[in-house]
Amino acid sequence: MMVWKPWTRIAAFAIAGAALAGCSNTMNGASKDANDNAAVVNSAAQDTAASAKQTADEAAASAKQTTREAGAQVSAATDDAAGKVVTAADQASTAVKKVPKEVDAALLVTPQVKTAIVRDVLLNDVRNKINVDTAEGLVHLKGHVVNQRMKDRASEVAADALRKDYAAYAISNELTVSPDKD
């Protein structure tokens, strides 16, 4: 058996104390390292978050600008389309206003002139072929008659037919003289 001398006991306690003191330093060092690492990670996270926020802000600003530009294009296209609709409506309105006049001409003026020509004893000859068309305030006499006297007579009869109710209409005598026609 071994006998412990007092000084060996003191030395053993000193060594054990030093070992425990070393562990304490190691734990304090590890704790300090962990705190330092946590600070680095926290700083990196803050930097990443700031960078992500800046990127998000830039993306949002870009999206706002793109939306503004798209809105301006839509607005311009809408204005253009509205202008075309207004133009088309004006054209339609003008056309509709003309329709009654054209209908009036087709339904009233043309038959009135044609009836007057058929009733005329000189013009009502099977050798004369007289067609009557009315458009835009003008009565067109087309076809053929047997002589110049009949051509002139057709203009006179048409003018008499128009005199009372349709004096504003003009006559365009486009009849040809063809004595040989049946």
Side-chain angles (χ1 to χ4, degrees):
M1 192 181 232
M2 186 171 172
V3 179
W4 285 89
K5 297 206 179 194
W7 65 272
T8 54
R9 280 189 190 161
I10 292 175
F13 285 126
I15 291 173
L20 286 175
C23 285
S24 173
N25 281 341
T26 302
M27 288 198 320
N28 286 339
S31 177
K32 183 177 181 300
D33 288 345
N35 287 337
D36 289 347
N37 288 341
V40 168
V41 168
N42 187 27
S43 176
Q46 287 175 352
D47 290 347
T48 302
S51 177
K53 183 183 181 314
Q54 181 179 357
T55 301
D57 289 346
E58 289 170 0
S62 176
K64 284 180 185 178
Q65 182 61 30
T66 301
T67 301
R68 279 190 208 108
E69 290 170 1
Q73 290 174 352
V74 168
S75 179
T78 301
D79 290 346
D80 185 45
K84 289 178 180 178
V85 168
V86 168
T87 299
D90 289 344
Q91 290 171 346
S93 175
T94 301
V96 167
K97 288 176 185 174
K98 287 183 179 180
V99 168
K101 292 177 184 175
E102 295 302 318
V103 169
D104 187 41
L107 296 177
L108 301 174
V109 176
T110 300
Q112 186 165 340
V113 173
K114 185 68 173 177
T115 301
I117 290 172
V118 170
R119 284 186 182 163
D120 188 82
V121 176
L122 296 174
L123 292 175
N124 192 3
D125 184 328
V126 292
R127 295 177 296 167
N128 293 331
K129 302 289 183 200
I130 302 173
N131 294 313
V132 180
D133 291 318
T134 307
E136 298 181 11
L138 191 60
V139 176
H140 299 273
L141 302 177
K142 299 178 183 179
H144 60 86
V145 290
V146 293
N147 58 42
Q148 183 64 40
R149 186 172 150 239
M150 292 297 126
K151 181 176 179 177
D152 295 339
R153 177 80 181 151
S155 290
E156 291 170 11
V157 169
D160 285 343
L162 295 173
R163 188 165 287 123
K164 182 178 176 191
D165 296 321
Y166 303 102
Y169 283 83
I171 298 169
S172 172
N173 191 334
E174 301 164 25
L175 294 168
T176 59
V177 176
S178 305
D180 299 328
K181 298 275 181 176
D182 295 331

